[in-house]
Amino acid sequence: MCDMVPFLDLKKVNEQHRNNIDLAIAEILESGQYLLGKALEKFEQEFAEYCGTSYAVGVANGLDALDLIVKAYEFSKDDEIIVPANTYIASVLAISKNDCRPVLVEPDINTYLLDPDLIEEKITRKTRAIMAVHLYGRVAEMTKIWDLAKKYKLKVIEDSAQAHGAMYNDKKVGNLGDASGFSFYPSKNLGCLGDGGAITTNNESLADKIRALRNYGSHIKYHNAYKGINSRLDEIQAAILSVKLPHLDSENEKRMAIADYYLANITNKKVVLPSTPLQKKSHVWHVFVIRTKERENLQKYLAENNVQTSIHYPIPPHKQEAYKEWNHLSLPITEKIHQEVLSLPMSPVLSLKEAEKIVHVINKW
């Protein structure tokens, strides 16, 4: 029987860095400091420098990163934040849990990103921000988003959870808005060995406030300036991320090479390939997403031929039970995407031989 091509072999991804990860963990154990220590400070400095921002603040996960940005701005109840309708639910949760109203805007069917031409008609006197989600690793169309934000005096919040290292006009994500939320969930392009997240910004007062908010609203122990939460990137995860960060660009290059191979060699007419961005480094291929009207058949066929796939995502936010007040909405582009997308194996440790097998199997379907 042929070996299964895994969707993502995380053990193999991290095995490359095993020796240095072991050393980093040993240092933290030896230090006796496990929260808000030197390892976190070091990673925050390194990550800010990598993104080109003045500040980075480590937090417990990607949802908390977005939540804390919205919380720090202290928007009023029912203020509106524009967000793509086809995003992962975390983007929407960060808005609604702060008593703001997510305003869902359809994506561009070719890029799967927030369609900037549909934003302006959704702006009202209560709109306070645009959340630009760099979905699947591809940077949103930021120039048009910036123009609208300036015109209407809106904040731009980046959801960079899937796009570590992606670039737009020579700037990295994390430095393309007023503030950006990152996730370091293990499967991300830069992933730790558990949950983790960070916020990047060039705004000193915002960074300072978020540092307090992540720690019960406290700058000084037992003195609480804000109604904060407990959301801290721990020392072990920070140290692991410091080990992996220097390899992020080279690992993204490997993802781009796999994507190029898929794009050049998948020829099955029943499969819609992702469009190629004009700026090569503006897509770091967190996932490689194809579309087909026969998704269930293709996924089953690939599994029978030892190729593991995933779906990002089967149900859009407005059709989730959690947002049943939206279940009546009709968002045809979003719904089409969620009904047809299928993610192929993609990682920096996927071999050319495995990619060739995947292409061969798809072309035979």
Side-chain angles (χ1 to χ4, degrees):
M1 184 176 175
C2 295
D3 290 337
M4 174 70 76
V5 179
F7 176 70
L8 175 60
D9 189 341
L10 279 178
K11 182 180 178 182
K12 194 173 180 182
V13 168
N14 289 302
E15 195 64 36
Q16 309 171 97
H17 313 294
R18 177 66 182 270
N19 290 341
N20 288 329
I21 287 173
D22 285 346
L23 288 170
I25 292 172
E27 284 182 16
I28 300 303
L29 291 173
E30 184 66 26
S31 76
Q33 185 167 19
Y34 309 125
L35 284 171
L36 300 179
K38 291 180 181 178
L40 177 59
E41 288 179 13
K42 178 175 180 288
F43 174 68
E44 288 176 335
Q45 290 169 3
E46 291 167 348
F47 194 62
E49 184 177 339
Y50 176 81
C51 294
T53 58
S54 301
Y55 309 98
V57 182
V59 296
N61 55 69
L63 172 56
D64 283 359
L66 294 173
D67 172 28
L68 285 164
I69 292 169
V70 178
K71 189 183 295 291
Y73 279 126
E74 296 187 10
F75 297 123
S76 299
K77 181 177 170 58
D78 293 329
D79 277 351
E80 296 171 354
I81 298 177
I82 286 167
V83 64
N86 65 313
T87 188
Y88 181 57
I89 199 169
S91 314
V92 182
L93 287 170
I95 299 168
S96 62
K97 71 187 298 193
N98 283 289
D99 292 327
C100 292
R101 192 168 82 84
V103 176
L104 304 177
V105 175
E106 287 265 60
D108 182 326
I109 190 64
N110 297 306
T111 65
Y112 310 132
L113 301 173
L114 180 64
D115 188 336
D117 295 331
L118 301 180
I119 294 174
E120 191 162 20
E121 65 190 52
K122 297 285 189 176
I123 294 174
T124 73
R125 61 183 179 81
K126 301 206 78 175
T127 307
R128 298 293 177 264
I130 301 170
M131 186 176 287
V133 181
H134 308 312
L135 194 66
Y136 304 151
R138 182 171 185 159
V139 184
E141 180 48 71
M142 296 305 296
T143 301
K144 291 182 179 179
I145 290 171
W146 288 328
D147 289 345
L148 286 169
K150 288 173 187 172
K151 181 177 178 180
Y152 293 98
K153 297 181 172 57
L154 307 176
K155 299 295 182 186
V156 175
I157 300 168
E158 293 178 82
D159 181 343
S160 302
Q162 299 183 2
H164 316 67
M167 301 190 73
Y168 185 90
N169 292 348
D170 298 321
K171 278 187 169 184
K172 282 195 171 80
V173 298
N175 193 22
L176 301 176
D178 294 287
S180 177
F182 286 88
S183 166
F184 302 126
Y185 185 77
S187 64
K188 304 300 185 185
N189 292 37
L190 179 63
C192 53
L193 302 189
D195 268 320
I199 294 144
T200 55
T201 184
N202 291 306
N203 184 321
E204 183 178 9
S205 61
L206 184 71
D208 192 54
K209 186 174 182 180
I210 288 170
R211 282 193 199 97
L213 284 169
R214 74 175 174 186
N215 189 36
Y216 300 99
S218 172
H219 285 299
I220 303 167
K221 197 169 185 178
Y222 304 132
H223 293 254
N224 303 83
Y226 311 103
K227 295 174 183 175
I229 64 173
N230 175 16
S231 180
R232 301 171 295 210
L233 180 64
D234 70 68
E235 290 286 281
I236 287 178
Q237 300 302 341
I240 290 166
L241 289 165
S242 284
V243 168
K244 296 179 72 174
L245 180 59
H247 304 278
L248 176 57
D249 287 342
S250 63
E251 292 189 356
N252 281 343
E253 290 286 347
K254 291 175 184 175
R255 290 174 179 270
M256 292 176 202
I258 294 162
D260 287 345
Y261 183 80
Y262 282 156
L263 291 167
N265 292 283
I266 295 175
T267 56
N268 192 313
K269 299 300 183 187
K270 291 194 286 185
V271 170
V272 179
L273 293 170
S275 62
T276 307
L278 294 176
Q279 301 180 41
K280 181 174 173 59
K281 291 187 177 180
S282 69
H283 203 327
V284 291
W285 303 99
H286 171 59
V287 284
F288 188 94
V289 178
I290 61 173
R291 284 197 351 260
T292 176
K293 292 179 180 177
E294 301 175 50
R295 178 173 67 192
E296 285 186 17
N297 290 339
L298 177 55
Q299 188 170 40
K300 183 182 178 202
Y301 164 81
L302 286 167
E304 289 168 350
N305 284 273
N306 298 302
V307 175
Q308 193 178 55
T309 57
S310 188
I311 299 172
H312 295 87
Y313 300 94
I315 306 170
H318 75 284
K319 295 299 182 184
Q320 297 283 358
E321 186 178 353
Y323 288 103
K324 52 180 172 283
E325 66 272 23
W326 292 344
N327 288 174
H328 68 285
L329 294 177
S330 174
L331 296 166
I333 298 172
T334 294
E335 288 157 26
K336 179 180 177 65
I337 289 168
H338 285 257
Q339 288 160 9
E340 296 182 358
V341 289
L342 185 67
S343 300
L344 301 183
M346 168 60 75
S347 86
V349 296
L350 188 74
S351 69
L352 178 58
K353 184 178 179 182
E354 289 172 321
E356 287 172 347
K357 174 183 175 176
I358 293 161
V359 168
H360 176 71
V361 171
I362 290 174
N363 287 343
K364 278 179 61 182
W365 178 56

